[in-house]
Amino acid sequence: MGEKQVLVTGACGEIGQALVQELSKRGAYRIVTSDLAPLPDSIKDLVVEHVQGDLVFKVKVFYDYDFDVIFHLAASLSSKAEIATEEAHRINVEGTMQLLMLAAYRSEKYGKAVKFIFPSSIAAYGMPNLEAKKKAGRVREEEWDSPHTMYGCNKLYCEKLGMYYSRFHGQKHLDDNPPVMMDFRALRFPGLISAFTVPSSGTSDYGPEMLHAAAQDQAYACFVRPDTIISFMAMPDAIKSMMMLMDAPRESLTTNVYNVAAFAITAEEFRQRALKAFPGAQITFEPNPRRQGIVDSWPEDVDDSRARKDWGWTPDYDMDHFFDNYFLPEIKRRYGK
Ligand code: AKB
């Protein structure tokens, strides 16, 4: 089988770098990337072409490319999006819309369904208060979909746009010979943690920030309360889920949007794990009301049984395995401990 042509937007971000490395390791992809920034050294040599700049304006460059798969990762994350709402809307919604239109156009014109893999997020949910959050426990895809943040609204709306372009665009599905439609597949990720990169501008960042700070003997003031709980996932599992969803036969998919989960953990549990690994770690709690409010509106955990049933999803890393066999060994190596 020949090489598949893949576009990865937001390639310089945490998910982008890890995804490009995985695609390159697999070896059957011609990887094109885009981002506002130049490519970092970690992936520079793995990519055949990088288009630098604002996707909203750059997307026209891609109209002649025969992409098999588009991973659309470029986004303004939740904390930043809450401050710069208009910019977030432009990046998160207009950028996505432009790319969906491209995928829909290419699919219909050339009769080949472009796969569009879209990382959505637990930010698409909105729990009205802590009592409801505790009572709800693990939430399903169709529950509690009233996000409290600009970023969450953007993600939820773009899921709907993806469904529209892949199923109903132009209402041509009602024709006798409907055209080939693009193939939209979204994953709702929890907070992600990489041992190799540190996140920025998100609100689940307190978990990875705390651990990376502890490993470098830096004091860390956590911006949420100790009892704050949401689900997290190891970056290798996030990449695994994207590859599995990409590979899943279309007939096996019963929906366009899938939760994926690994382990729910409190901020205090993060602190205890950090102290166990780095006994001198200085971790305090100084909750920021706005960021606390955002995390409190996200569910404790998500129900990913639909992904498990439809495409065999299961994470490799539960909480113990994540700390003992991925994060701590890698991070100790990274910071020379
Ligand atoms: C963020 O904090 O904005 C993201 C997310 C949970 O979607 N990491």
Side-chain angles (χ1 to χ4, degrees), residues 59-200:
V59 78
K60 55 182 178 297
V61 173
F62 297 126
Y63 265 79
D64 291 331
Y65 286 59
D66 183 16
F67 291 123
D68 297 281
V69 189
I70 295 174
F71 289 94
H72 178 40
L73 314 180
S76 172
L77 296 185
S78 55
S79 284
K80 188 166 176 210
E82 217 45 34
I83 296 163
T85 51
E86 197 177 352
E87 181 197 64
H89 189 272
R90 201 172 55 76
I91 296 170
N92 295 348
V93 177
E94 288 175 42
T96 305
M97 165 99 180
Q98 291 295 333
L99 216 49
L100 285 168
M101 285 167 65
L102 161 81
Y105 167 81
R106 291 239 23 137
S107 303
E108 291 186 27
K109 185 162 166 74
Y110 297 100
K112 185 175 102 177
V114 177
K115 279 187 193 167
F116 196 104
I117 311 293
F118 181 65
S120 186
S121 154
I122 50 167
Y125 298 106
M127 312 307 296
N129 52 53
L130 285 176
E131 199 189 336
K133 171 167 168 157
K134 196 167 176 38
K135 205 160 152 214
R138 303 171 71 216
V139 305
R140 294 166 58 88
E141 287 86 348
E142 65 279 6
E143 296 173 331
W144 303 103
D145 54 355
S146 299
H148 292 202
T149 61
M150 183 64 180
Y151 171 73
C153 291
N154 295 164
K155 286 291 183 190
L156 188 62
Y157 175 56
C158 287
E159 291 176 2
K160 304 285 182 208
L161 279 181
M163 290 182 215
Y164 162 73
Y165 276 110
S166 60
R167 294 200 212 156
F168 307 119
H169 175 225
Q171 305 308 317
K172 295 171 203 149
H173 61 294
L174 301 171
D175 296 352
D176 288 341
N177 286 311
V180 172
M181 308 288 267
M182 59 168 289
D183 184 352
F184 178 80
R185 305 174 178 201
L187 287 154
R188 285 194 187 153
F189 279 135
L192 301 179
I193 314 182
S194 166
F196 302 99
T197 49
V198 189
S200 68

Side-chain angles (χ1 to χ4, degrees), residues 13-314:
E14 283 202 288
I15 308 178
Q17 292 183 51
L19 177 66
V20 168
Q21 285 164 346
E22 178 62 25
L23 288 167
S24 162
K25 206 160 82 191
R26 274 202 181 189
Y29 299 97
R30 186 174 188 277
I31 307 169
V32 178
T33 52
S34 89
D35 202 290
L36 284 171
L39 287 179
D41 289 344
S42 60
I43 54 171
K44 211 161 49 198
D45 298 334
L46 312 178
V47 165
V48 292
E49 191 182 341
H50 179 58
V51 175
Q52 193 183 334
D54 188 328
L55 191 62
V56 175
F57 305 112
K58 290 285 179 189
V59 78
K60 55 182 178 297
V61 173
F62 297 126
Y63 265 79
D64 291 331
Y65 286 59
D66 183 16
F67 291 123
D68 297 281
V69 189
I70 295 174
F71 289 94
H72 178 40
L73 314 180
S76 172
L77 296 185
S78 55
S79 284
K80 188 166 176 210
E82 217 45 34
I83 296 163
T85 51
E86 197 177 352
E87 181 197 64
H89 189 272
R90 201 172 55 76
I91 296 170
N92 295 348
V93 177
E94 288 175 42
T96 305
M97 165 99 180
Q98 291 295 333
L99 216 49
L100 285 168
M101 285 167 65
L102 161 81
Y105 167 81
R106 291 239 23 137
S107 303
E108 291 186 27
K109 185 162 166 74
Y110 297 100
K112 185 175 102 177
V114 177
K115 279 187 193 167
F116 196 104
I117 311 293
F118 181 65
S120 186
S121 154
I122 50 167
Y125 298 106
M127 312 307 296
N129 52 53
L130 285 176
E131 199 189 336
K133 171 167 168 157
K134 196 167 176 38
K135 205 160 152 214
R138 303 171 71 216
V139 305
R140 294 166 58 88
E141 287 86 348
E142 65 279 6
E143 296 173 331
W144 303 103
D145 54 355
S146 299
H148 292 202
T149 61
M150 183 64 180
Y151 171 73
C153 291
N154 295 164
K155 286 291 183 190
L156 188 62
Y157 175 56
C158 287
E159 291 176 2
K160 304 285 182 208
L161 279 181
M163 290 182 215
Y164 162 73
Y165 276 110
S166 60
R167 294 200 212 156
F168 307 119
H169 175 225
Q171 305 308 317
K172 295 171 203 149
H173 61 294
L174 301 171
D175 296 352
D176 288 341
N177 286 311
V180 172
M181 308 288 267
M182 59 168 289
D183 184 352
F184 178 80
R185 305 174 178 201
L187 287 154
R188 285 194 187 153
F189 279 135
L192 301 179
I193 314 182
S194 166
F196 302 99
T197 49
V198 189
S200 68
S201 75
T203 320
S204 60
D205 296 5
Y206 61 90
E209 278 177 2
M210 186 191 293
L211 299 175
H212 279 266
Q216 294 172 86
D217 296 327
Q218 290 169 1
Y220 184 71
C222 178
F223 58 78
V224 295
R225 292 183 316 267
D227 66 308
T228 306
I229 181 165
I230 56 168
S231 58
F232 280 87
M233 176 180 282
M235 187 60 78
D237 270 338
I239 303 303
K240 172 180 160 179
S241 69
M242 281 195 285
M243 301 306 267
M244 286 184 77
L245 184 57
M246 173 181 72
D247 290 340
R250 200 168 177 176
E251 324 73 77
S252 68
L253 304 183
T254 56
T255 181
N256 294 93
V257 179
Y258 289 93
N259 281 340
V260 279
F263 52 89
I265 179 172
T266 65
E268 176 59 20
E269 281 172 302
F270 268 124
R271 180 171 164 273
Q272 292 303 330
R273 294 279 181 163
L275 285 172
K276 197 168 155 213
F278 309 104
Q282 295 169 55
I283 299 163
T284 52
F285 289 95
E286 290 175 23
N288 169 310
R290 293 184 183 191
R291 297 182 97 183
Q292 180 73 61
I294 292 175
V295 187
D296 283 346
S297 79
W298 294 346
E300 271 193 23
D301 204 353
V302 293
D303 179 339
D304 61 1
S305 49
R306 205 169 281 163
R308 288 174 185 261
K309 184 159 174 285
D310 285 3
W311 40 277
W313 160 248
T314 164

